[in-house]
Amino acid sequence: MSFSIIVDSCCDLTPEMRADPVFRSIPLTIHVGGKDYVDDQTLDTSLLIYAMDQSPEASSSSCPSPGDYLDAYRQAEGDIYVVTLSALLSGSHNSAWQARQLFLEEQPERNIHVFNSCSASAGEVLLAQRLYQLAQSGLPFAQVVSRAQQTISETNTLFVLENLDNLRKNGRLTRVQAMLTGALRIKLLMGSTPEGEICKHGQALSIKQALTKLVELMALDQRHKGKTLYIAQCLCPDRAQQLWELAKKACQFDRVVITATRGLSSYYANSGGVIAAY
């Protein structure tokens, strides 16, 4: 049975996934210093990071329109599975859902489901890969949806950021946290709640210490055993490899998938950020 997996561009697809026609990415747009950066395959992440660093003002992002998603649905083959970043962080999920309603009015016989990943970046990659495995196995549409929803409920997303300036500029940190991290250069260990909100798990005085604490959290979570660890890195492949080396010693992951952040994930993670999901 044929199928298509449509994701928003916060899903940091691996090169292999981007080359597979099953996957299609719908770009968000980042607005920095009066310029728009479309998060597609032409975007140079390093230039985006540089522009954000140079801008004293808060940058912003805008999600795809329902029309953007609808166009993708019309071109998709077979069953359609849609993955968006957390509905509590972006309007991308709402746009995808509205487009689904319009699409079903045109083609009521089609199977289409929109997933709120309750995550972002590496967490979306994990879900997209899981959907591929389930659909490829030949399971009926309803069973693929059910098992993918279970995957969402079991996924844990954690991240460590080197540079918190963009989160500070955009109000993602409280005033007190912004003052502390700015004055002391504290590294925050963050994650997502089951509902898809950003939460704080701890803090450290160095990236090395923060990565160690991140792995300690993983080791305490028995859900990691036998899973794949997905890591997205923003201009720091060595740091992603360091995280994997630490995780291999403390946890029982089967394997790792390391990918580079695209525009929107880089917008939040900034240079040196790593996001892990399992």
Side-chain angles (χ1 to χ4, degrees), residues 10-273:
C10 193
C11 182
D12 298 313
L13 298 173
T14 66
E16 294 77 16
M17 295 169 83
R18 291 198 299 269
D20 191 328
V22 163
F23 296 97
R24 177 167 179 182
S25 179
I26 311 301
L28 286 89
T29 302
I30 301 105
H31 314 283
V32 184
K35 183 176 180 179
D36 291 345
Y37 295 82
V38 179
D39 191 10
D40 58 18
Q41 67 275 9
T42 67
L43 179 63
D44 186 326
T45 301
S46 61
L47 290 180
L48 171 66
I49 296 292
Y50 178 79
M52 291 193 303
D53 289 344
Q54 296 302 304
S55 176
E57 301 177 353
S59 51
S60 62
S61 63
S62 57
C63 65
S65 70
D68 294 330
Y69 276 110
L70 183 58
D71 287 343
Y73 299 166
R74 287 168 173 162
Q75 297 174 41
E77 296 183 2
D79 295 342
I80 304 173
Y81 305 98
V82 188
V83 177
T84 74
L85 73 157
S86 170
L88 296 179
L89 299 178
S90 169
S92 181
H93 179 77
N94 186 54
S95 288
W97 180 260
Q98 290 183 41
R100 174 188 179 274
Q101 304 303 99
L102 296 172
F103 180 69
L104 287 177
E105 289 180 8
E106 297 177 357
Q107 302 185 42
E109 75 285 355
R110 296 290 296 278
N111 290 323
I112 179 171
H113 188 87
V114 178
F115 294 92
N116 172 12
S117 71
C118 296
S119 184
S121 186
E124 287 187 72
V125 181
L126 184 158
L127 178 57
Q129 186 61 52
R130 178 61 171 157
L131 281 166
Y132 182 88
Q133 294 166 348
L134 291 169
Q136 187 75 7
S137 72
L139 285 174
F141 178 79
Q143 288 189 34
V144 172
V145 170
S146 177
R147 295 193 186 187
Q149 284 292 163
Q150 183 178 355
T151 295
I152 293 172
S153 67
E154 295 173 349
T155 297
N156 192 17
T157 304
L158 300 166
F159 58 95
V160 173
L161 307 185
E162 170 76 30
N163 187 326
L164 299 166
D165 285 349
N166 201 45
L167 287 180
R168 174 183 56 79
K169 290 177 184 177
N170 289 279
R172 295 291 185 180
L173 296 177
T174 67
R175 183 173 179 272
V176 173
Q177 285 176 331
M179 290 174 60
L180 284 173
T181 56
L184 303 178
R185 309 310 300 173
I186 289 173
K187 313 305 178 187
L188 297 184
L189 172 55
M190 312 288 282
S192 63
T193 67
E195 297 76 27
E197 289 186 298
I198 294 175
C199 64
K200 177 184 172 185
H201 286 293
Q203 60 191 46
L205 296 177
S206 68
I207 282 291
K208 182 178 180 180
Q209 188 181 78
L211 293 179
T212 299
K213 288 188 175 184
L214 185 152
V215 171
E216 288 173 354
L217 284 178
M218 290 180 180
L220 291 173
D221 184 356
Q222 297 300 308
R223 291 176 296 177
H224 74 268
K225 294 182 178 180
K227 286 190 172 184
T228 297
L229 174 62
Y230 290 82
I231 302 174
Q233 53 82 19
C234 183
L235 304 179
C236 58
D238 291 347
R239 187 167 292 168
Q241 189 62 39
Q242 180 185 359
L243 175 57
W244 171 232
E245 295 299 329
L246 290 170
K248 280 196 294 186
K249 295 176 182 178
C251 305
Q252 298 176 39
F253 291 109
D254 271 357
R255 67 187 187 103
V256 66
V257 173
I258 298 177
T259 187
T261 56
R262 301 174 63 192
L264 194 76
S265 297
S266 299
Y267 166 72
Y268 283 113
N270 221 315
S271 182

